[in-house]
Amino acid sequence: MADLLQVQGVTKRFGGLIALEDVSLSVRDGEIYGLIGPNGAGKTTLFNCMTGLYDLTGGEVRLGGVLLNGLKPHRIVEAGFARTFQNIRLFANMTALENVMVGRHVRTRIGLVGAILRTPRARAEEAAIRDRAVALLDHVGLRGKARTLAGHLSYGDQRRLEIARALATEPRLLALDEPVAGMNPTERRQMADLFQRLRADGLTLLLIEHDVKLVMGLCDRVAVLDYGRKIAEGEPARVRADPAVIAAYLGGEAA
Amino acid sequence: MDILTQQLINGLVLGSIYALVALGYTMVYGILELINFAHGEVTMIGAMVALTVIGLLLGMAPELPGLMVVFSGLLVAIPACMALAFAIEKVAYRPLRRAPRLAPLITAIGVSIILQNVAMLVWGRQYVAFPAILPQGQYEVFGAHITDLQLVIVALSLTTMAGLWLLVERTRLGRAMRATAQSKEVAALMGVNVDRVISATFVIGAAIAAIAGVMVSAYYGLAHYHMGFLLGLKAFAAAVLGGIGNIAGAMLGGLLLGIIEALGAGYIGDLTGGFLGSHYQDVFAFFVLILVLVFRPSGLLGERVANRA
Amino acid sequence: MRTALDALRARPRLAFALLAALLVALPFLVGAGLGNSWVRVLDFVLLYILLALGLNIVVGYAGLLDLGFIAFYAIGAYVYALLASPHFGLHLPFWAILPISMALAGLFGVLLGTPTLRLRGDYLAIVTLGFHEIIRIFLNNLNAPYNLTNGPQGINLIDPITIGGHALSRPLELFGVTVPSTYLYYYVFLAFTLLVMAVAIRLQDSRLGRAWAALREDEVAAAAMGINTRNVKLLAFAMGATFAGLAGGLFASFQGFVSPESFSLWESFLVLCMIVLGGMGHIPGVILGAALLTVIPEALRYLGDLQRATLGHVVLDPADLRMLLFGIALVIMMIYRPAGLIPSRQRKRELTARDGVAEQEQASLYDAKA
């Protein structure tokens, strides 16, 4: 299988602090790839670097061969890279449906004139946006909650909504930042099922997660970050046995 | 007479006033990330209060030396402005400290409108003249003139800035202010009374503004309820030029802006072949502001503030 | 009363017909009840509604604080004045000028917005304030060496709007009824106001409107959802400027005279007060705010007459009180009722949410980028 995402020697410094140092990894088309590591290892920083929220200090990121360095965040989404946030960033005062509809923005075209004149094309597009959003809500298990304000949804549902919103951008790669944090075992299982379904739909998933058990059961391959460096990469079982990984976790957390 | 030297001197004098006002903007922004729109108005109130006191004193004891009369006016204006700023912060800004950004900004505009209109009701719509009681000596330096008043303004500005510098760098309060500017949460955890530090920041800025207000009215020979607005805008431009949130930056930005304005006003006629004249002096501050924001939003000495998301 | 309202709600067509009849009859009702000078006030209410609807797109929809809004109004007005007055001897018809007014104001909006909209919101406020000052200074001084604006004297004898060969500055005889000029302008302004309102409603309820709302709520998340934040902001900014340009053109023809004095910064603050008071982002609120703040100062004039009648002279000129009251209203509204008198549901939730968590996170994200 071909590599969808290639991260080559990515370095990120904040002033004197090195947050990421020469990190390289590649995610293959259609796999679920896990990114694990202790708190502060640089996982979210790597996400922010890949999605254009931070400028890279060095290195390059490519998606399907397209260089993402220096692109604005919306261009990166357009290239097919969608993400969720560790500390959920929904549009809390918009409804669940509206949140997902915002996600359709990048794949739709109607601008000022179309909106003002309400041309047949504009109406058709608006209807298509709505239909797609409803279907996506359904897909992630939020049927019947379309009119609920995002801020009023339960924690688990907010995570789902963030995924639906990201899916609305029609990504090739979906990057999830701790998508099951704070969920109970049942919810976690349901989320794992959802990820399997998404993969079956042809999506590639990149996953930051603390729940090592979930990662081991779900991911085809994982990489371990520690102090901003990649210390291991490979199949879950092999990585789990890696002494460097065990040392990084100081024997804690089931690793 | 050497025009270049003369304009440099004029610019330096004006710039040192801008710098004082800019300090108030930059200190508050450094701590609260709030543009205190009302700061220019506080400056205006300082000038007005001082002029009232000066008028009263001259009415009672016309034989007093001019410098002493003006100084007395200043001594009343400073605490008046401090009390005003304290009240503004407490009533208008503090309740909104955790509200979305737009809210305190709109309140700040409201306060600015209130102060201007109160001043108009109290002191009238007319210009209030600054009595000609200050020494009027004039010296020649490199072919340009410099007056006693200009010397006093520059000297007093530099003294004030040095005092503020000492306060911020050498005192407990200054340390608390710097800590709060870094992070309110951490400062609070370290035992800093953040509310008091914020109040103090407003109050110190106001005291300096009062000095600037008296200077500017003495320099132009008049005061007006509307004078704080343009002065405030220019001072803010100066603060941005130097790097907002940065005290040394405000000083540098103020001086530079004064010089840019003076040189611009002196030479714009030649530069545009007579198309634009010196009445465009007020435009420079805004062009500088826009240029800085476009090309170096962090200012000359500041940290980066632009977002590019 | 409630049953009457319910009855109307059940029959939207009847309600619509009644409302339309009321709007058509309004100047006659006002003229008969309060005198013709109040019809003029009514015209200004409509002009300010136009302005407030425009600023509402910038501030209410997209959450950008534009304090130089009146500069675009001035540009629109001066374009009209220059193209339809003896100043240059040009007398183009209004339907040719208004699009130019709008386009030029919009163009200035783009020119100003392009470099500044990537900055944080409060910088935008200052830059727009500065822009307003620049425009004012230029209007005041571009009378020499080449006389473009006629300086502080302003431009006089601007052509009235002429429709079907009838200049609106003169009364119209219609079926034996004399319709005064202010009434005629009322209908023209009403038509434009309804048009702009329709545009505003459609925009709010569109792909673009959702993008503005998203931007206002969380700029980082909006960008991460593929919204080109700079372009979308620019569009809001230019839209608002365009509407202001339209209002400016109408104002110039209505007044027959423009000078820099009409476009003071107070006007910008006044329009801002209108949308803050009424309810940011909510069209009924914006209309109410504009109506209240146009009518109240007029009503305050009676306070002056009252003082003259009871005290013999005017102690406190109500005109001086006007802005003071507005300033106080701004502060009180922001502290106690930030979403306005008639808030939109979404804005109410946003503006009353005091935790500001997303704001802080956003800030820390930018700090981290340094």
Side-chain angles (χ1 to χ4, degrees):
Chain A
M1 250 182 289
D3 287 342
L4 177 63
L5 177 76
Q6 288 164 309
V7 175
Q8 236 351 288
V10 163
T11 299
K12 174 67 190 172
R13 266 197 294 273
F14 295 110
L17 180 82
I18 298 175
L20 290 172
E21 194 178 5
D22 197 22
V23 173
S24 299
L25 48 87
S26 57
V27 179
R28 292 175 196 145
D29 212 354
E31 76 176 343
I32 299 183
Y33 189 98
L35 197 57
I36 61 175
N39 277 322
K43 303 179 300 272
T44 297
T45 305
L46 181 60
F47 263 35
N48 287 342
C49 284
M50 292 190 292
T51 51
L53 291 183
Y54 293 163
D55 298 321
L56 294 181
T57 311
E60 49 175 66
V61 179
R62 283 173 189 277
L63 184 75
V66 178
L67 189 65
L68 301 185
N69 291 29
L71 289 186
K72 299 258 182 186
H74 70 270
R75 291 277 173 217
I76 292 173
V77 178
E78 210 176 305
F81 192 142
R83 69 169 293 181
T84 66
F85 292 89
Q86 184 181 348
N87 38 22
I88 306 177
R89 296 188 88 138
L90 289 165
F91 308 117
N93 298 304
M94 296 166 87
T95 64
L97 184 69
E98 284 167 342
N99 266 276
V100 183
M101 287 171 82
V102 169
R104 293 299 296 152
H105 187 92
V106 73
R107 300 296 169 207
T108 44
R109 284 275 102 31
I110 294 301
L112 206 57
V113 178
I116 292 173
L117 299 180
R118 279 216 181 144
T119 55
R121 252 190 64 215
R123 284 161 196 262
E125 188 184 275
E126 188 72 9
I129 290 174
R130 185 172 292 270
D131 291 347
R132 183 66 182 265
V134 169
L136 281 169
L137 282 176
D138 228 36
H139 198 58
V140 299
L142 288 176
R143 182 191 295 235
K145 302 206 169 135
R147 294 188 173 281
T148 312
L149 286 180
H152 291 179
L153 288 173
S154 73
Y155 185 74
D157 283 350
Q158 291 195 8
R159 290 263 179 226
R160 287 167 189 277
L161 180 56
E162 254 206 325
I163 292 174
R165 189 179 64 174
L167 288 175
T169 67
E170 290 175 31
R172 301 171 66 188
L173 176 79
L174 177 60
L176 304 163
D177 198 343
E178 299 197 20
V180 302
M183 289 184 175
N184 64 35
T186 320
E187 288 174 319
R188 284 173 187 237
R189 243 184 340 267
Q190 288 170 347
M191 286 301 263
D193 288 346
L194 174 61
F195 299 155
Q196 296 284 14
R197 276 211 313 280
L198 294 177
R199 193 237 299 260
D201 294 342
L203 206 61
T204 307
L205 273 79
L206 173 61
L207 192 58
I208 292 181
E209 195 39 71
H210 271 308
D211 182 344
V212 177
K213 207 158 34 171
L214 181 101
V215 170
M216 295 300 166
L218 193 65
C219 296
D220 302 302
R221 289 189 307 143
V222 297
V224 186
L225 284 189
D226 190 30
Y227 290 111
R229 285 175 305 115
K230 186 177 80 175
I231 57 171
E233 182 182 23
E235 282 157 25
R238 276 217 351 253
V239 167
R240 186 180 198 155
D242 192 314
V245 176
I246 295 169
Y249 276 90
L250 284 169
E253 281 200 45
Chain B
M1 195 173 67
D2 186 339
I3 293 182
L4 179 66
T5 322
Q6 187 65 55
Q7 293 293 21
L8 275 176
I9 290 174
N10 295 347
L12 213 59
V13 174
L14 208 54
S16 62
I17 298 175
Y18 292 158
L20 290 188
V21 185
L23 284 170
Y25 281 104
T26 230
M27 288 182 349
V28 167
Y29 197 93
I31 287 189
L32 285 182
E33 296 207 340
L34 167 74
I35 297 177
N36 178 14
F37 271 98
H39 190 63
E41 267 57 60
V42 172
T43 312
M44 174 270 295
I45 299 274
M48 289 298 198
V49 168
L51 271 173
T52 306
V53 173
I54 290 169
L56 286 174
L57 274 179
L58 285 179
M60 289 187 300
E63 69 286 350
L64 279 178
L67 210 54
M68 196 171 137
V69 173
V70 174
F71 201 64
S72 313
L74 189 59
L75 282 186
V76 178
I78 290 175
C81 286
M82 290 166 88
L84 179 65
F86 180 80
I88 292 171
E89 194 275 327
K90 191 130 195 168
V91 174
Y93 298 152
R94 188 167 299 179
L96 292 171
R97 208 172 287 157
R98 296 188 70 81
R101 280 186 98 86
L102 204 55
L105 209 55
I106 291 176
T107 317
I109 294 163
V111 171
S112 174
I113 295 174
I114 293 172
L115 290 181
Q116 268 198 47
N117 283 276
V118 167
M120 191 182 77
L121 288 175
V122 175
W123 287 287
R125 285 176 182 276
Q126 312 78 21
Y127 288 90
V128 182
F130 196 101
I133 50 175
L134 288 173
Q136 312 246 342
Q138 220 180 62
Y139 314 94
E140 248 191 69
V141 187
F142 301 121
H145 296 292
I146 184 159
T147 64
D148 276 337
L149 181 59
Q150 288 181 319
L151 285 175
V152 171
I153 287 176
V154 172
L156 190 54
S157 292
L158 293 178
T159 316
T160 309
M161 289 188 231
L164 180 71
W165 188 258
L166 285 177
L167 177 88
V168 171
E169 294 295 326
R170 294 271 187 274
T171 64
R172 260 175 67 88
L173 176 63
R175 198 159 51 232
M177 284 168 69
R178 281 180 286 139
T180 309
Q182 289 284 324
S183 161
K184 287 198 275 295
E185 287 74 22
V186 176
L189 286 175
M190 295 297 135
V192 173
N193 184 340
V194 170
D195 280 345
R196 196 176 297 164
V197 169
I198 291 172
S199 277
T201 308
F202 273 85
V203 165
I204 294 168
I208 300 174
I211 299 173
V214 175
M215 282 181 184
V216 82
S217 57
Y219 191 53
Y220 288 119
L222 48 84
H224 186 234
Y225 78 94
H226 200 251
M227 69 188 262
F229 170 72
L230 203 57
L231 181 62
L233 264 182
K234 288 182 181 175
F236 181 81
V240 172
L241 174 61
I244 191 125
N246 184 315
I247 289 180
M251 299 177 188
L252 177 69
L255 291 175
L256 269 180
L257 185 67
I259 290 169
I260 291 170
E261 252 190 40
L263 290 182
Y267 290 100
I268 185 171
D270 299 341
L271 286 177
T272 58
F275 184 69
L276 301 176
S278 59
H279 34 258
Y280 288 94
Q281 179 179 2
D282 291 340
V283 167
F284 296 110
F286 304 115
F287 278 120
V288 167
L289 178 64
I290 292 176
L291 289 179
V292 171
L293 288 179
V294 171
F295 293 107
R296 197 180 157 81
S298 55
L300 297 173
L301 303 182
E303 294 149 24
R304 183 169 162 167
V305 288
N307 75 55
R308 43 150 251 167
Chain C
M1 189 65 200
R2 166 151 303 171
T3 49
L5 272 179
D6 285 343
L8 281 180
R9 205 160 281 153
R11 300 162 84 172
R13 260 178 214 212
L14 180 66
F16 183 76
L18 282 177
L19 184 67
L22 178 70
L23 285 177
V24 170
L26 195 59
F28 290 95
L29 296 176
V30 169
L34 296 164
N36 275 350
S37 69
W38 277 92
V39 180
R40 199 179 154 76
V41 175
L42 201 58
D43 291 347
F44 273 103
V45 168
L46 288 173
L47 267 183
Y48 278 113
I49 289 177
L50 265 180
L51 280 173
L53 284 171
L55 185 62
N56 183 49
I57 291 181
V58 189
V59 181
Y61 290 1
L64 307 165
L65 189 53
D66 177 1
L67 296 178
F69 191 64
I70 288 298
F72 303 115
Y73 183 54
I75 290 170
Y78 266 86
V79 166
Y80 197 102
L82 294 177
L83 295 181
S85 74
H87 185 67
F88 287 143
L90 291 172
H91 297 281
L92 301 186
F94 82 96
W95 48 262
I97 306 176
L98 286 182
I100 302 176
S101 283
M102 292 167 74
L104 203 68
L107 180 70
F108 269 94
V110 172
L111 287 180
L112 180 66
T114 305
T116 50
L117 280 172
R118 65 200 180 99
L119 301 165
R120 237 137 93 158
D122 33 13
Y123 278 74
L124 183 71
I126 289 282
V127 172
T128 49
L129 210 59
F131 174 69
H132 178 276
E133 208 48 31
I134 291 177
I135 291 291
R136 207 185 52 82
I137 292 171
F138 273 92
L139 290 181
N140 258 319
N141 293 304
L142 277 181
N143 51 344
Y146 176 74
N147 188 1
L148 180 66
T149 64
N150 208 26
Q153 287 83 40
I155 294 168
N156 230 321
L157 298 171
I158 300 168
D159 299 345
I161 289 180
T162 301
I163 297 174
H166 180 82
L168 298 194
S169 55
R170 286 180 293 113
L172 179 69
E173 296 286 337
L174 204 64
F175 311 121
V177 184
T178 309
V179 186
S181 163
T182 47
Y183 290 44
L184 299 174
Y185 270 103
Y186 167 85
Y187 293 114
V188 173
F189 288 1
L190 181 66
F192 278 108
T193 306
L194 291 175
L195 197 69
V196 168
M197 212 180 336
V199 168
I201 290 171
R202 287 186 165 192
L203 280 178
Q204 184 169 27
D205 197 16
S206 72
R207 170 175 174 265
L208 206 52
R210 275 193 302 275
W212 284 332
L215 190 74
R216 200 175 65 209
E217 285 229 354
D218 185 340
E219 195 170 331
V220 172
M225 284 308 112
I227 292 170
N228 182 342
T229 50
R230 211 193 67 176
N231 282 5
V232 166
K233 280 186 198 173
L234 195 58
L235 216 48
F237 199 68
M239 241 0 245
T242 308
F243 283 174
L246 170 67
L250 294 176
F251 170 77
S253 71
F254 178 55
Q255 284 286 85
F257 166 70
V258 292
S259 77
E261 221 170 275
S262 304
F263 308 103
S264 75
L265 201 66
W266 294 115
E267 295 286 314
S268 273
F269 290 159
L270 181 64
V271 180
L272 180 69
C273 283
M274 289 171 178
I275 63 174
V276 168
L277 184 74
M280 270 185 272
H282 197 219
I283 289 172
V286 167
I287 292 172
L288 175 76
L292 276 180
L293 289 194
T294 318
V295 170
I296 288 174
E298 294 301 325
L300 275 178
R301 285 186 191 192
Y302 289 104
L303 228 63
D305 297 340
L306 197 71
Q307 290 177 36
R308 214 170 285 120
T310 54
L311 304 170
H313 61 283
V314 180
V315 182
L316 209 54
D317 187 354
D320 291 347
L321 273 183
R322 188 178 77 132
M323 281 318 291
L324 179 62
L325 291 178
F326 291 171
I328 293 172
L330 267 188
V331 175
I332 290 178
M333 289 300 288
M334 272 299 122
I335 294 175
Y336 295 105
R337 210 180 154 84
L341 292 174
I342 320 183
S344 75
R345 241 181 266 153
Q346 185 185 353
R347 281 302 266 183
K348 186 173 178 177
R349 291 189 298 264
E350 281 172 31
L351 286 165
T352 45
R354 293 270 155 130
D355 48 39
V357 172
E359 299 269 338
Q360 279 177 13
E361 274 166 9
Q362 201 159 338
S364 58
L365 192 56
Y366 296 134
D367 295 345
K369 288 181 60 168

